[in-house]
Structure formats: structure tokens, C-alpha cells
Amino acid sequence: MSHLDPLLRRALAGGFGLDPAEQRVALAFTTTQAVRHQGRAGGYRNEVLGLRLGPAVGSCAVEPGTVGASILDDCAGAGLGELLAHPLPAVRVAALDALLMLARPHSPGNGAQPYPLPAGDPLAKSRARARAVVDLLPLRRVRNVLVVGVVNSLLEQLRGHGVGYLPCDLKGGTTEWGEPVHTDAVGRLGACDALLVSGMTLGNGSFDTFLDHARATGKPLVMFAQSGSAVLPQFLGRGVSAVCAEPYPFFWLDGGPGVVHRYGGPVRVRPSGGGR
């Protein structure tokens, strides 16, 4: 059984104060990007499924090209209860995220602390977000961080703090500094003393492995989440030590100022100024 299943059952039963039988998803869409930052050697692509529920958008990353028009057609206008029980994990995660964005929005009253991102080009905003994420780690007592979902700006921040890292991503490849990116994150869990994990793991089914390891070992587990940004705070204190939540629209969609929402962790004073 997945650790998401109890949340899905609670949502289906109306346990978050919203009856899924009375909620319908008005809009289903995908957001796809390809980027190559100036001054960076490599580029990458991302794709995210979005479900619009009233004023809220629930999100879950998917492999580019795997969510076709037929899936979007199935989701648009569908009842929320139907989508919470959908056979595709990404749809279930996005539906749960949308419900929680309504029922438990990112606000100080729900435990979130806003962290402003300055206006700027994509690389500047990527670096600003990376500072927001890495600052949630207990850096003074961390030697090696397992990074699941390689974002070069995050690695750059860790390097700047003199912290070692084990970069892992299902796509493999190399980092900006020519280091190999491992495809087997599970095999390297024993070599880390903290975990920095993308919310994308919710959609691909690997989140449970990292949560179980953090629970068993007491290692800090920090999640950076565009996928399931409202879902992951539900695991705070239950294996997840901190979350940097970034609901739609994401930082890479706009050059203006933005905000991410941080939960838990050793949050320190926010900077006054301003990819992967």
C-alpha cells in the first residue's frame, strides 16, 4: 500500500472538508518547457499535468509526451472523486493536490512561511529558489546529501556550502560539473546523511522508498515540490522534515517576482534580494 493511499481515502470520504462528489475539474492541461540557461552547458525538458478545481490548480510532473489529449479529455469536466481514484498515479496526485490547495492552502495559518523570489531571468529565479530549498537542510551537520531529481542550481548551492552530494535522476546523464548522475537512488541511500527529493517522486511511485528510509533512520528529508505542493506538507513530522512548496504557476513561467512556501526545517532569515 502506498503512503498516499490513506490521504486519498480521506479525501474521497470528505475528510478534508470538501465532498468530492460535489466538485468537478473544469480544466485539464499540460505545461511543457524546454530550457537551456545562458552560461550552462546542458538543457532539460519538463512536463506537468495541471487540474483546475475552482480557483486552485493541482499539479503532478509526468514524463514528457506521456499524457496525451485523450487523458486531458477524460479529466476535463470529470468529478473529483473519479479522478482521485483514476488508474494513472499522476492524475490521482494532481487531483489530491487540487483538493488540498482548496482545503489546506499555503498560508501561515496552515504552517507555511512565504519566501519571496525576485524578478529576473530563468537562471536568476532558479538560483533564488535553490537558496530557499537548500536553506531547509541542517547544513552544519550534513556531509552528503542524496539529491533525487537533479537540479543544477540546487547542486550549485550545496557546493557553495561545501556540502557533498549524490546526484540521482532517472534520466541519468551528467551534472553541470561533469559528475555522473546515478539512476539508482535506492542503492545510494546508505551513503547519505540527508535527502533532498523532488515532488516528482509522488507521480513515479518512488516517494514511499525515501519516506520509509527517512522514518527508519531519522535522516532529514527535505522535499522540493511543484508536484503535489499541497500534498507533501501532510507528511511533515511523519518522515518529512521540511517542504519547499511551489504551486502553479511555477517560477519558470514568469519573469516577475514570485513566491514559494516553506514548511518546517531550520528556516533562517530570508534574503533581501534575488534552473536548473
Side-chain angles (χ1 to χ4, degrees):
M1 182 180 73
S2 167
H3 291 306
L4 277 179
D5 289 345
L7 290 180
L8 289 165
R9 287 196 298 269
R10 181 179 172 186
L12 282 165
F16 291 104
L18 293 174
D19 183 356
E22 298 178 355
Q23 307 289 329
R24 303 194 76 80
V25 168
L27 177 69
F29 61 98
T30 55
T31 305
T32 304
Q33 65 147 335
V35 64
R36 186 181 297 270
H37 293 306
Q38 184 175 356
R40 290 265 173 92
Y44 62 96
R45 286 185 61 210
N46 281 334
E47 187 167 322
V48 182
L49 170 66
L51 299 179
R52 180 74 176 267
L53 184 68
V57 175
S59 301
C60 186
V62 296
E63 287 300 314
T66 58
V67 173
S70 62
I71 295 174
L72 297 181
D73 288 343
D74 289 343
C75 293
L80 184 62
E82 177 185 350
L83 299 184
L84 288 167
H86 197 277
L88 288 181
V91 173
R92 296 197 299 272
V93 170
L96 180 60
D97 193 38
L99 181 147
L100 288 169
M101 284 293 295
L102 283 180
R104 302 286 191 275
H106 300 303
S107 67
N110 288 322
Q113 294 298 318
Y115 184 105
L117 300 181
D121 64 29
L123 181 55
K125 295 191 75 172
S126 177
R127 285 172 165 158
R129 186 192 70 150
R131 288 192 290 272
V133 173
V134 170
D135 197 43
L136 291 170
L137 287 164
L139 293 168
R140 291 185 179 179
R141 59 184 178 90
V142 168
R143 294 170 298 170
N144 286 301
V145 180
L146 185 77
V147 180
V148 181
V150 168
V151 178
N152 282 307
S153 291
L154 293 178
L155 304 185
E156 182 181 60
Q157 278 293 305
L158 293 171
R159 291 168 70 93
H161 286 283
V163 175
Y165 52 79
L166 301 164
C168 301
D169 198 296
L170 293 175
K171 296 182 178 69
T174 60
T175 71
E176 184 68 19
W177 301 272
E179 303 147 328
V181 174
H182 309 292
T183 56
D184 179 19
V186 176
R188 287 164 175 80
L189 282 168
C192 74
D193 49 17
L195 296 85
L196 188 58
V197 178
S198 168
M200 292 177 68
T201 55
L202 286 171
N204 66 26
S206 61
F207 170 67
D208 285 4
T209 298
F210 305 113
L211 183 66
D212 287 341
H213 182 77
R215 287 177 173 178
T217 62
K219 295 177 183 178
L221 169 57
V222 173
M223 303 295 302
F224 56 101
Q226 293 176 343
S227 295
S229 76
V231 175
L232 287 165
Q234 297 295 313
F235 293 95
L236 283 167
R238 298 189 292 133
V240 171
S241 54
V243 178
C244 184
E246 184 181 357
Y248 192 90
F250 311 127
F251 79 87
W252 35 267
L253 286 169
D254 188 280
V259 64
V260 293
H261 307 273
R262 303 198 300 179
Y263 296 79
V267 179
R268 291 181 284 277
V269 176
R270 293 175 293 183
S272 59
R276 189 153 175 157

